[in-house]
Amino acid sequence: MQNPRSIREKTVRDAKAGLILDAALQVFSQKGFHDARLEDIAAAAGFSKASLYNYYEDKDAMFLSLAVREYQRVADRLEKLPVGEGTFEENIKATLSMIFSVFGEHFSFLLTLSNFRMMNILSLGKLEGHHEQRLEDLHQSFFLVEEHFRKLVATARDKGETQSELSDDVLAGFLGSMIRGVLFDWKLKGTMGDAEEETRRVLVFLKKGMDFAQRS
Amino acid sequence: MQNPRSIREKTVRDAKAGLILDAALQVFSQKGFHDARLEDIAAAAGFSKASLYNYYEDKDAMFLSLAVREYQRVADRLEKLPVGEGTFEENIKATLSMIFSVFGEHFSFLLTLSNFRMMNILSLGKLEGHHEQRLEDLHQSFFLVEEHFRKLVATARDKGETQSELSDDVLAGFLGSMIRGVLFDWKLKGTMGDAEEETRRVLVFLKKGMDFAQRS
Amino acid sequence: MQNPRSIREKTVRDAKAGLILDAALQVFSQKGFHDARLEDIAAAAGFSKASLYNYYEDKDAMFLSLAVREYQRVADRLEKLPVGEGTFEENIKATLSMIFSVFGEHFSFLLTLSNFRMMNILSLGKLEGHHEQRLEDLHQSFFLVEEHFRKLVATARDKGETQSELSDDVLAGFLGSMIRGVLFDWKLKGTMGDAEEETRRVLVFLKKGMDFAQRS
Amino acid sequence: MQNPRSIREKTVRDAKAGLILDAALQVFSQKGFHDARLEDIAAAAGFSKASLYNYYEDKDAMFLSLAVREYQRVADRLEKLPVGEGTFEENIKATLSMIFSVFGEHFSFLLTLSNFRMMNILSLGKLEGHHEQRLEDLHQSFFLVEEHFRKLVATARDKGETQSELSDDVLAGFLGSMIRGVLFDWKLKGTMGDAEEETRRVLVFLKKGMDFAQRS
DNA sequence: CATGAATGAGGGTTCATTCAT
DNA sequence: CATGAATGAACCCTCATTCAT
């Protein structure tokens, strides 16, 4: 695997696998899991349907791999945001802004899918034994995102910026709800909306809801 | 249609049609539109698959009829809530409480389905010509629910109970988001949670977020 | 069966059975055997689908009974036409005229149906054991019609009105072909055409084709 | 499409599509459109039912394609028959002989099907939008066959070989009727009969019926 | 006798998956 | 590795037939 030849081959292979996921993202987002036909994905990726099986063992694997990739992208970016420094309004603003502007579309995919399929996938265990590693990765990403929200709230409380009677967990949950709410609305409307303006509105509401110190 | 015989027959028929929708509610909620097999619904309703067609012309009709029924149930109850009287905290509390406790499960169905199917149904127009009346009814119910939220906010502002800089529409949207957020979480967790406690938490957050007068 | 009560009941029953066949004639003619739904026939007859089974054991029985009735009507009328008297041109003309004008529509039904179903019915024997009597009746009617054509030709030859080298059977066959040809064309065109004019044309052709003495 | 690879592939594909039509010809001829099950056709062609859909979009497309192919075969052969040269008895003989001997079986298929299905297909327009090109091709073939009959008659009249008072159209119609009559009888009997003998008989009758000059 | 309702059997169609080239 | 082609397994839907009222 260390020799140049192997490296090149792996690189090309990964690139192609990525192209397939890009296509899958489009199709899954538009049609949902079941209505998404492999032929659509293949066409969007520039492959034949049969070729997909050179990269993913089956449709579930494609869906899961995509979910992992997209969630990890969000988690990675969130992790890089500094939480200990700056106002917490700034932190939350950065978080909202990032999610809305950069990952809006992708996150929306996860939102959509999680609804009707993720739960089956994550709980019904129909996939266990086939996709254990991917499930593990996905859970990890879920945890990271939630953890980020929790840290945001906890830090705010540490710094005395919120005196809300609600627990950190509950507040973190509301934060997530607001974000999902916006993405949900976008999906219903079929268009992404103005990320900046949306960020501002949510911020206004959040600061009040979370009992932020009235400095802003 | 006025004679007792006809009335009895229609009543029985409607009751059976209702049983089928009850079964459909379960199956659609669990599996989503595409994974829901008519055989499952028939079995859950105590009918044979073919019998369903005595009551609904096709799968789409069943889904739409169910959506209409559930949404109208919500809309009907919301309409009966007094909005002009009492504190607005009380009004919102009543709204939240009603939705969470009474319609949690059903609303969750609509939430689930809307995600990946409703949009197609409502926009792609694949169904127009076959289900126009049902679509009309559904839109009407959608409107009523949204309108209720808007009225809640508007009345609060009229009475000077909120001075939020955000527009009524935006605040009504956030209210909807919070509600959907809770239901969404319940769905993800697979259990309904404590409606009273959830109502209280949301209320705390909402009142602050909406800049309610600090009397409570 | 002799008492007035029984007679009245049987009369009513037969009348209803006839109504059903009338309806079946319409529907079978328009749609053919398979596309004809019992529900259509029932509706056209003013009964419910289930009621048909009080008069005919199954769909095949309805079809067969109808075929028998229609064919016998033709056969009965043909039998009443005098063959021994008058010119044979007159006889043929009377035959053509009768078939075209009076039984055009009904005969067309038989033509249509015989094509794709009669053969199965008459040969495949799927129906034997269930419908033996009806099959017997139908065959008898077939025979009568063919026999009439043969007699027409034979008498013509006896009287020296034709010296065709072709056998009576062949000529009778051609006569039948010409008739079916006209009815077939009517069916293809979807309209009945002018019976008188059609009779005249066929006559002109037939007389020549059959080597009629050149008196007319 | 010009390179050998593509050509070979297209050839193989067309050959398979042809096999399917061959199988369809058998099954449709025996059972008619509705009774013909795709499974039968698939079995007769050596494919699985689902595979048929690689070649034809649905059952209607298979039926229409078959009709087009068969009718075009007839039309193509008829077009190659010289009409301007030789006696018209020879021309008609050639036409009859060709149709009876070579296309008897296939034409019989069209005869059969046209009766109860073609009319729906050609008129009810249920298929328009899906199969426009095929319908166009089919109409064209219909026209060619009829035109050939008309030309036969017209040329005969030009050469003074017939003085029939009947119009060319009517005579061409009768010619068609006689041909269909023979094929119809064959179908009813379930066997093809002797083409040569049948040709002779029809010829004898036709020549007289059409007032051919008494040279033969 | 009439009928609304129920259903088994069966057909057309779709699609993820496999395989030979 | 890529792909056209093949297919089994479902699923939706139809309809003749049966049954209880």
Side-chain angles (χ1 to χ4, degrees), chain B residues 123-151:
Chain B
S123 59
L124 262 61
K126 150 193 161 183
L127 304 179
E128 293 180 24
H130 277 295
H131 304 281
E132 276 168 353
Q133 184 53 52
R134 271 188 260 260
L135 282 175
E136 181 64 22
D137 293 344
L138 191 52
H139 277 120
Q140 178 63 14
S141 298
F142 285 170
F143 177 76
L144 286 177
V145 171
E146 288 171 13
E147 191 60 17
H148 178 82
F149 291 163
R150 249 193 308 273
K151 243 186 288 180

Side-chain angles (χ1 to χ4, degrees), chain D residues 107-125:
Chain D
F107 205 93
S108 157
F109 151 78
L110 292 170
L111 173 71
T112 305
L113 276 307
S114 51
N115 235 8
F116 77 106
R117 182 72 187 174
M118 195 77 76
M119 285 148 38
N120 295 338
I121 286 177
L122 297 183
S123 60
L124 262 64

Side-chain angles (χ1 to χ4, degrees), chain C residues 34-35 111-112 115 119 165 170 174 177-178 180-181 184-185 200-201 205-206 208-211, chain D residues 34-35 111-112 115 119 165 170 174 177-178 180-181 184-185 187 200-201 205-206 208-211:
Chain C
H34 241 97
D35 282 329
L111 173 72
T112 305
N115 234 10
M119 285 147 37
E165 63 180 276
V170 169
F174 284 155
S177 283
M178 303 286 300
R180 280 195 304 254
F184 187 88
D185 285 342
R200 200 189 62 78
R201 285 178 189 157
F205 192 85
L206 260 184
K208 294 279 172 60
M210 290 180 71
D211 253 336
Chain D
H34 247 97
D35 281 329
L111 173 71
T112 305
N115 235 8
M119 285 148 38
E165 62 180 277
V170 169
F174 283 155
S177 282
M178 303 286 301
R180 281 196 302 255
F184 188 87
D185 286 341
K187 182 134 192 58
R200 199 188 62 78
R201 287 176 187 159
F205 192 85
L206 260 184
K208 294 279 170 60
M210 291 181 69
D211 254 336

Side-chain angles (χ1 to χ4, degrees), chain D residues 36-38 49-50 53 58-59:
Chain D
R37 290 179 293 144
L38 289 194
K49 191 170 49 160
Y53 287 84
D58 56 16
K59 199 187 181 187

Side-chain angles (χ1 to χ4, degrees), chain B residues 4 6 10 12 22 24 27 33 39 43 47-48 54 58 60 62 75 78 84 108 122 125 157 159-160 174 190 206 211:
Chain B
S6 294
K10 179 163 173 34
V12 170
D22 292 340
V27 179
F33 184 83
E39 213 152 15
F47 288 88
S48 80
N54 282 328
D58 56 16
D60 283 329
M62 277 180 45
L78 286 181
S108 156
L122 297 184
R157 199 185 296 276
K159 296 209 178 172
F174 284 155
L206 261 184
D211 252 337

Side-chain angles (χ1 to χ4, degrees), chain C residues 2 50 59 73 88 168:
Chain C
Q2 298 291 352
K59 198 186 182 188
R73 283 185 180 176
F88 289 84
D168 289 3

Side-chain angles (χ1 to χ4, degrees), chain C residues 57-110:
Chain C
E57 34 187 329
D58 56 17
K59 198 186 182 188
D60 283 330
M62 277 180 46
F63 178 83
L64 263 187
S65 298
L66 175 59
V68 168
R69 188 186 79 172
E70 297 306 307
Y71 235 102
Q72 276 182 348
R73 283 185 180 176
V74 176
D76 288 350
R77 297 248 192 162
L78 286 180
E79 265 192 331
K80 283 174 194 150
L81 291 182
V83 175
E85 318 155 12
T87 330
F88 289 84
E89 176 176 347
E90 288 166 9
N91 288 334
I92 289 179
K93 194 170 178 180
T95 296
L96 292 174
S97 189
M98 193 273 284
I99 290 181
F100 287 155
S101 63
V102 182
F103 296 102
E105 192 183 351
H106 297 187
F107 204 92
S108 159
F109 151 77
L110 292 169

